[in-house]
Amino acid sequence: EKDYDNLVAAWKSWRDNTGLKFRHDYLRTINLENIGARQNGYPDASFYKWSESFEDLKFNEEVMDIYQTIVPLYKQVHGYVRYHLKKLYPNRFNGTGPIPAH
């Protein structure tokens, strides 16, 4: 279906009836995980969950190197998608801005 307004309405309806219902519980869970991580000497739960799972002490540095390597490809893919969305839905997308998540 190419009717932009119907697609936006369907997306918003789905989001309102799924993700938003769990937002409070999800945020509470993250907060509790972060408290536990800090009590164990980590800055937050992501360090607690991920950093200890890998033997490589330079894991975070290597991930950032990989990220920097793929950023140009990501930007190209994003631009390609944005270009085609703008063609499909004229006057709905900024040619240089982010793609709306609605």
Side-chain angles (χ1 to χ4, degrees), residues 1 9 20 22 27 37 39 49 52 60-62 64 67-68 71 73 88 95:
E1 180 170 332
L20 292 178
F22 298 103
L27 293 175
Q39 289 175 346
K49 288 180 175 182
E52 294 295 311
N60 289 340
E61 182 180 325
E62 290 174 2
M64 288 308 296
Y67 171 75
Q68 292 302 324
V71 164
L73 174 63
L88 188 60

Side-chain angles (χ1 to χ4, degrees), residues 30-68:
I30 297 300
N31 185 46
L32 291 172
E33 288 178 349
N34 283 334
I35 290 169
R38 284 194 280 291
Q39 289 175 346
N40 285 290
Y42 296 91
D44 62 38
S46 67
F47 282 89
Y48 179 73
K49 288 180 175 182
W50 294 102
S51 297
E52 294 295 311
S53 300
F54 302 96
E55 294 178 9
D56 186 353
L57 298 176
K58 293 186 176 184
F59 176 74
N60 289 340
E61 182 180 325
E62 290 174 2
V63 168
M64 288 308 296
D65 288 344
I66 293 169
Y67 171 75
Q68 292 302 324

